[in-house]
Amino acid sequence: MERLCYFLGFLLLAARLPLDSAKRFHDALGNERLPGYVREHSQLNGWSSDENDWNEKLYPVWKRGDEKCKNSWKGGCVKAVLTSDSPALVGSNITFVVNLVFPRCQKEDANGNIVYEKNCRNDTSLSTDPYVYNWTAWSEDTDWGNGSSQSHHHVFPDGKPFPHHHGWKKWNFVYVFHTLGQYFQKLGRCSVRVSLNTANVTLGPQLMQVTIYRRYGRAYVPIVQVKDVYVVTDEIPVFVTMSQKNNRNSSDETFLKDLPITFDVLIHDPSHFLNESAIDYKWNFGDNTGLFVSNNHSLNHTYVLNGTFNLNLTVQAAVPGPCPPPSPRPPKPTSSLATTLKSYSNAPVPAGDDSLQESEILHESCQIYRYGYFTATITIVEGILEVNIIRMTDVLMPVPQPDNSLIDFVVTCQGTLPTEVCTIISDPTCQIAKNAVCDPVQVGDTCLLTVRRAFGRSGTYCVNLTLGDDTSLALTSTLISVPGRDPASPLRLANGALISVGCLALFVTVIALLVYKKHKEYKPIENSPGNVVKSKGLNVFLNRAKVVFFPGNQEKDPLLKNQPGIL
């Protein structure tokens, strides 16, 4: 009997040895967990338990700090970036994205191969080979495409075969996602996306870990591991943006009195889990105006008093869902006659009220209510409420400048008094700014000021005038047309007249000199007929010139009157 017990014990030990020597997923992927981690979790849809065996021969496991890790990638180390659209409302889908970051000058081409980028020199590699890893050539040289060896090499760490979708041979990375004691395997390229339904995920922060392998002949080599924390909550993630006209800085939660504030609610629901839900927004602005209930995510509210107010928002979503099973009810007592008939007859008895109620519950659409909350403390102060340009006038300059114009803008405002004024001069579309000037201002008891601005050339301009103080900015805009200087302006007419008079004086001077020169050279020698004729001709010319330039002399041809013998 004792020998039999030893023999049975030996058999049990021998049977247990293979189980103990097998590598498990949780051993291969590590055991790092967040505080408060619970080993037992509900089954995730499409995921497997990390108690399954890990094929360490095909997917070797390297410990942190192993020297082999330094040679896992040609040209340096590969990095991975893991992100998610957390936080996720329980029952919705959360999506994880992994992006691989290769060493400098390396990228993935259209065929899934890793190549060197053109015009980018990698100092660590002087090779003229354009490929870092030419997996296309590997698949042609090996039995990668041979279906006979498919079950041996084209499998995940747990032995499941790769999905043979279109272009699967260009996907040369294996991603193993691990969370909540379960794993998910995916074949992909340098970027993958995985969605997880959170219906069975424990509420609170959870850890997602991803281990990435690259193809290496008939085996796979680990290249990088990355972790990230995601959050699952039963409260609707709610964010509220607050904006107000003339408010200088909405991020400080300080707003202006007597101007409406726009509250816009943003629900973080990237998987559109709440699309079919009826959502109500319940507002309490903290100023004794009561409770506002709306089904619109945007609402305006105006505070009429200065002070500090506590804002509270509750978002309620009625999410369609299956009804819970009905609770069992005690059977109703039956009469002895009915019991007697039922015991002696094989005919079915019509269903009673309980069966009818159960049928109605099975076809009834139930709802699950989820809530989200937002609170804020806002401060209401005085501010500049409005600004207007009431007049624009040209400025007459003492010394006219044809290429420059000055215009005065007379501006008024309502509310508090401004401390600065800014002017932006833009193109007619108000899109391209050409000049911006800000100046401090000092006004009296009323808001009335004159802003002078210069325009270098004619044209149409968009002028933006902004009055501001510590908490508010009030803006007004106008289009202005600056005309060019008129060629017929008094300045240009005066210049033209001066030029004309100068030219005329010069002309007269030249003619007078010529005439004087000729008159001085004339010397009568003798009283001969020829000389008389010459003298008469010269006198006639001088008298005619005198008449032209000095029309005041009305005498006509006096020489002819003194010489009656000449015709």
Side-chain angles (χ1 to χ4, degrees):
M1 185 65 182
E2 185 177 354
R3 294 181 179 179
L4 180 60
C5 291
Y6 280 122
F7 180 72
L8 292 176
F10 175 78
L11 291 179
L12 291 174
L13 181 62
R16 183 178 176 83
L17 285 177
L19 296 177
D20 292 338
S21 62
K23 180 72 72 174
R24 306 293 184 185
F25 266 79
H26 58 78
D27 296 329
L29 299 177
N31 294 314
E32 294 188 20
R33 300 181 178 94
L34 292 176
Y37 176 84
V38 179
R39 180 64 193 169
E40 297 297 331
H41 293 279
S42 300
Q43 178 65 38
L44 303 178
N45 186 23
W47 290 57
S48 305
S49 172
D50 61 6
E51 294 291 342
N52 292 346
D53 292 344
W54 176 281
N55 188 345
E56 191 175 7
K57 181 178 180 181
L58 194 60
Y59 291 85
V61 177
W62 293 346
K63 300 296 182 182
R64 181 177 299 178
D66 197 319
E67 292 296 328
K68 297 179 182 178
C69 296
K70 298 180 181 180
N71 301 321
S72 62
W73 191 270
K74 187 187 300 183
C77 296
V78 176
K79 297 180 181 179
V81 178
L82 172 63
T83 58
S84 70
D85 52 14
S86 169
L89 182 63
V90 62
S92 67
N93 289 339
I94 185 171
T95 300
F96 299 89
V97 178
V98 182
N99 291 301
L100 296 181
V101 181
F102 301 115
R104 182 177 178 271
C105 299
Q106 298 182 15
K107 68 176 183 179
E108 187 181 48
D109 66 4
N111 294 321
N113 299 313
I114 309 301
V115 299
Y116 291 106
E117 295 183 11
K118 295 181 179 179
N119 304 323
C120 180
R121 179 178 176 82
N122 191 348
D123 296 334
T124 61
S125 176
L126 301 177
S127 174
T128 58
D129 187 0
Y131 290 97
V132 182
Y133 293 107
N134 188 353
W135 283 311
T136 302
W138 287 5
S139 62
E140 294 175 353
D141 296 338
T142 63
D143 58 354
W144 184 257
N146 188 357
S148 60
S149 61
Q150 173 178 326
S151 59
H152 299 291
H153 309 301
H154 305 164
V155 295
F156 288 111
D158 62 357
K160 293 180 180 178
F162 290 160
H164 287 188
H165 49 73
H166 177 71
W168 71 277
K169 294 181 181 179
K170 299 179 181 180
W171 294 15
N172 298 288
F173 297 97
V174 175
Y175 297 79
V176 183
F177 292 78
H178 184 221
T179 187
L180 301 174
Q182 299 168 63
Y183 68 89
F184 182 84
Q185 307 164 128
K186 186 175 180 66
L187 183 69
R189 300 185 63 171
C190 64
S191 179
V192 297
R193 181 185 301 264
V194 169
S195 293
L196 168 67
N197 186 270
T198 61
N200 294 329
V201 176
T202 305
L203 299 180
Q206 305 295 344
L207 181 67
M208 175 63 74
Q209 175 180 292
V210 185
T211 304
I212 301 102
Y213 283 75
R214 70 170 175 87
R215 185 152 60 89
Y216 179 68
R218 299 183 180 181
Y220 299 89
V221 177
I223 56 174
V224 66
Q225 189 177 79
V226 64
K227 304 178 182 68
D228 190 30
V229 176
Y230 63 98
V231 177
V232 177
T233 176
D234 58 353
E235 290 188 2
I236 303 173
V238 174
F239 307 91
V240 177
T241 62
M242 297 174 281
S243 60
Q244 184 186 43
K245 178 184 176 183
N246 296 354
N247 185 29
R248 185 158 196 157
N249 183 13
S250 60
S251 63
D252 61 0
E253 297 185 346
T254 299
F255 299 92
L256 310 180
K257 188 186 76 170
D258 296 329
L259 284 180
I261 305 173
T262 300
F263 299 89
D264 194 12
V265 183
L266 304 176
I267 294 178
H268 182 71
D269 184 29
S271 65
H272 310 292
F273 176 67
L274 300 176
N275 273 13
E276 304 300 325
S277 303
I279 302 178
D280 291 326
Y281 305 88
K282 301 178 182 179
W283 297 89
N284 187 340
F285 295 100
D287 57 352
N288 296 324
T289 54
L291 181 67
F292 294 86
V293 180
S294 171
N295 57 7
N296 194 329
H297 64 86
S298 182
L299 184 69
N300 291 340
H301 183 74
T302 302
Y303 287 88
V304 297
L305 298 175
N306 293 342
T308 301
F309 303 91
N310 295 320
L311 169 69
N312 287 277
L313 168 66
T314 300
V315 179
Q316 174 185 285
V319 184
C323 294
S327 58
R329 297 181 180 180
K332 291 184 177 181
T334 57
S335 63
S336 58
L337 177 61
T339 305
T340 304
L341 293 175
K342 184 177 181 180
S343 61
Y344 285 95
S345 174
N346 290 325
V349 178
D353 294 339
D354 289 342
S355 300
L356 180 60
Q357 291 176 0
E358 183 176 348
S359 176
E360 290 176 352
I361 291 176
L362 291 176
H363 293 86
E364 183 183 358
S365 176
C366 293
Q367 294 177 334
I368 301 173
Y369 288 92
R370 298 294 181 191
Y371 298 90
Y373 305 95
F374 174 82
T375 61
T377 300
I378 61 178
T379 302
I380 303 300
V381 298
E382 299 280 352
I384 305 173
L385 304 181
E386 187 177 351
V387 59
N388 293 292
I389 299 174
I390 61 174
R391 188 169 63 252
M392 295 179 293
T393 58
D394 291 333
V395 179
L396 297 179
M397 293 175 284
V399 180
Q401 300 180 14
D403 295 332
N404 199 4
S405 298
L406 292 179
I407 296 179
D408 280 346
F409 299 88
V410 181
V411 182
T412 63
C413 67
Q414 298 179 9
T416 58
L417 299 178
T419 58
E420 67 174 357
V421 57
C422 293
T423 308
I424 300 177
I425 300 176
S426 309
D427 67 325
T429 64
C430 301
Q431 299 295 323
I432 303 175
K434 299 181 178 180
N435 182 263
V437 178
C438 290
D439 298 310
V441 296
Q442 292 182 352
V443 296
D445 296 336
T446 61
C447 181
L448 178 65
L449 67 154
T450 301
V451 181
R452 177 172 294 181
R453 289 294 177 255
F455 296 84
R457 62 183 61 183
S458 62
T460 302
Y461 298 91
C462 173
V463 179
N464 291 330
L465 271 170
T466 303
L467 301 182
D469 60 10
D470 293 339
T471 58
S472 59
L473 288 173
L475 169 70
T476 186
S477 301
T478 185
L479 285 176
I480 184 171
S481 180
V482 179
R485 290 296 183 182
D486 190 355
S489 63
L491 176 64
R492 295 193 178 186
L493 288 177
N495 291 339
L498 290 175
I499 293 173
S500 300
V501 171
C503 293
L504 180 61
L506 180 62
F507 178 74
V508 171
T509 302
V510 171
I511 296 299
L513 288 174
L514 290 175
V515 171
Y516 173 76
K517 183 177 181 182
K518 290 184 179 181
H519 177 70
K520 185 177 180 181
E521 291 178 352
Y522 172 70
K523 295 179 180 180
I525 299 177
E526 57 182 342
N527 191 14
S528 61
N531 291 334
V532 172
V533 172
K534 186 174 182 180
S535 175
K536 290 181 179 179
L538 178 60
N539 289 333
V540 170
F541 173 77
L542 291 174
N543 284 292
R544 289 181 177 177
K546 183 179 179 182
V547 170
V548 172
F549 294 107
F550 303 94
N553 188 356
Q554 300 297 326
E555 184 180 1
K556 297 181 179 180
D557 299 331
L559 295 180
L560 291 178
K561 292 181 180 180
N562 293 333
Q563 301 292 335
I566 299 178
L567 297 178

